[in-house]
Amino acid sequence: FEYMTSNGIGSHFLYAGLCGLKISMSGPLDQFPFDMVKNEPLWEDPVEREKLIFSASMSQHDYLRKTYPWLYKPEPKDGEECVEWAKQELGFYNKVSFQELAQLFGWKIPHADQSAPFLDVVFRLDDKGSVPEFVQFIQGASCSPQEMLSAVVQLLAKTRLRAAYLLSMLLAKRGHQNVSVSFARGIGGHVYNNLAESDHGMATLPTLVDALSVENQTLFHKRIVIPILSPLLVAAIEHSDDQRIEPLLLLLKAAVPLFRTMLNQEGVPEASRKGNREQARLVMQVWQNLP
């Protein structure tokens, strides 16, 4: 959904906000009497009663209007997107890794062999196919960012897209930028239907690619871009899947300067669907003729 409206405050505002909905407080507003819970046992305790009254005061519309004036709209269609607000309220930036969470709760969980080389464990867990176990390991792994960045490169080179995508999201969250990380986020977000992640990856990719030497750009093109994108483009062409071809071409242009001028004098994504398929075939021809 694009919109969420309600006549009373609650956690539903935060969850809808985190999902990118346009939220609003509208309609006949509900009322939350201060003595709504007067029949509860805690009401008899003066200290607890004060806590209940204080909690109820924060659900009153006079307080809410002063604190969150932008929530109140004449119509739901006037609602605003508020992802960042929801993140702050929910503690999005205070998350800990699965490993840390388990330690905080005193849980005993199976540990991956920390003595084994990081990449070996990553390959083994990727082969196992358990995403939660894979994510748990990489979040709690005691290795350097450089070792993780190197792992992303090797995972992409071996077309292990899912593992590279998950690891690149963790690195991006920790503030590490790299050509392979941006590429993995761009293509991984596309393949696994996370458009926001894909957009972030593609937005940073051209600048990072342009900062490479021509030699390194060529290596990146041949060793990573072609092995990952080639089978996806072939499948999209064979099935005339225009919805898949267009974002792949956009990612290709972001990743390889050569194609920014060669592809689409008419412009992608403005080109017709037929034009996109023709350009995809042109890309395949160029790749076949590469030395």
Side-chain angles (χ1 to χ4, degrees), residues 91-105:
F92 183 87
Y93 298 110
N94 300 318
K95 292 191 296 183
V96 298
S97 69
F98 293 155
Q99 199 76 19
E100 291 173 287
L101 184 66
Q103 291 172 356
L104 289 170
F105 282 126

Side-chain angles (χ1 to χ4, degrees), residues 246-264:
E246 187 172 294
L248 292 174
L249 291 177
L250 287 171
L251 180 61
L252 182 60
K253 290 180 70 176
V256 184
L258 166 69
F259 290 111
R260 295 177 199 167
T261 53
M262 178 182 296
L263 280 183
N264 187 28

Side-chain angles (χ1 to χ4, degrees), residues 24-26 29 60-66 68-74:
S24 64
M25 189 94 73
S26 63
L29 300 177
Q60 304 301 311
H61 287 288
D62 55 352
Y63 169 82
L64 294 172
R65 283 184 187 275
K66 293 177 183 178
Y68 312 114
W70 47 271
L71 286 179
Y72 288 82
K73 301 294 181 182

Side-chain angles (χ1 to χ4, degrees), residues 113-121 124 137 147:
D113 184 4
Q114 295 291 344
S115 64
F118 176 73
L119 191 60
D120 290 350
V121 180
R124 176 166 56 80
F137 168 71
E147 192 173 358

Side-chain angles (χ1 to χ4, degrees), residues 49-256:
R49 185 188 309 143
E50 288 299 316
K51 292 180 183 178
L52 291 170
I53 292 174
F54 177 73
S55 178
S57 71
M58 291 190 291
S59 297
Q60 304 301 311
H61 287 288
D62 55 352
Y63 169 82
L64 294 172
R65 283 184 187 275
K66 293 177 183 178
T67 311
Y68 312 114
W70 47 271
L71 286 179
Y72 288 82
K73 301 294 181 182
E75 298 289 342
K77 63 182 177 61
D78 300 319
E80 298 180 17
E81 188 176 302
C82 57
V83 176
E84 190 58 35
W85 170 72
K87 284 183 175 181
Q88 294 287 351
E89 293 290 326
L90 288 168
F92 183 87
Y93 298 110
N94 300 318
K95 292 191 296 183
V96 298
S97 69
F98 293 155
Q99 199 76 19
E100 291 173 287
L101 184 66
Q103 291 172 356
L104 289 170
F105 282 126
W107 295 340
K108 292 183 178 181
I109 58 174
H111 295 273
D113 184 4
Q114 295 291 344
S115 64
F118 176 73
L119 191 60
D120 290 350
V121 180
V122 165
F123 280 165
R124 176 166 56 80
L125 292 177
D126 185 44
D127 289 337
K128 188 175 180 180
S130 172
V131 171
E133 189 175 348
F134 181 89
V135 172
Q136 177 181 310
F137 168 71
I138 63 175
Q139 286 191 322
S142 56
C143 61
S144 68
Q146 194 56 46
E147 192 173 358
M148 289 188 174
L149 289 169
S150 176
V152 171
V153 175
Q154 295 184 63
L155 287 166
L156 287 173
K158 295 182 180 296
T159 64
R160 290 176 176 257
L161 181 55
R162 181 180 61 181
Y165 171 55
L166 293 171
L167 187 52
S168 70
M169 285 196 291
L170 175 64
L171 285 165
K173 175 186 172 184
R174 293 179 179 178
H176 301 289
Q177 287 197 342
N178 175 277
V179 168
S180 295
V181 167
S182 291
F183 180 77
R185 293 175 74 194
I187 186 59
H190 167 69
V191 171
Y192 297 108
N193 297 313
N194 187 336
L195 296 181
E197 196 68 27
S198 181
D199 289 344
H200 283 306
M202 289 207 294
T204 56
L205 188 55
T207 301
L208 294 170
V209 168
D210 292 346
L212 298 176
S213 67
V214 174
E215 180 181 4
N216 284 334
Q217 286 181 6
T218 302
L219 287 173
F220 176 65
H221 181 195
K222 291 183 176 180
R223 294 183 180 179
I224 292 178
V225 177
I226 294 177
I228 292 288
L229 290 188
S230 181
L232 296 175
L233 270 178
V234 168
I237 293 170
E238 289 178 349
H239 293 89
S240 298
D241 191 343
D242 301 299
Q243 289 186 330
R244 290 288 184 185
I245 292 176
E246 187 172 294
L248 292 174
L249 291 177
L250 287 171
L251 180 61
L252 182 60
K253 290 180 70 176
V256 184

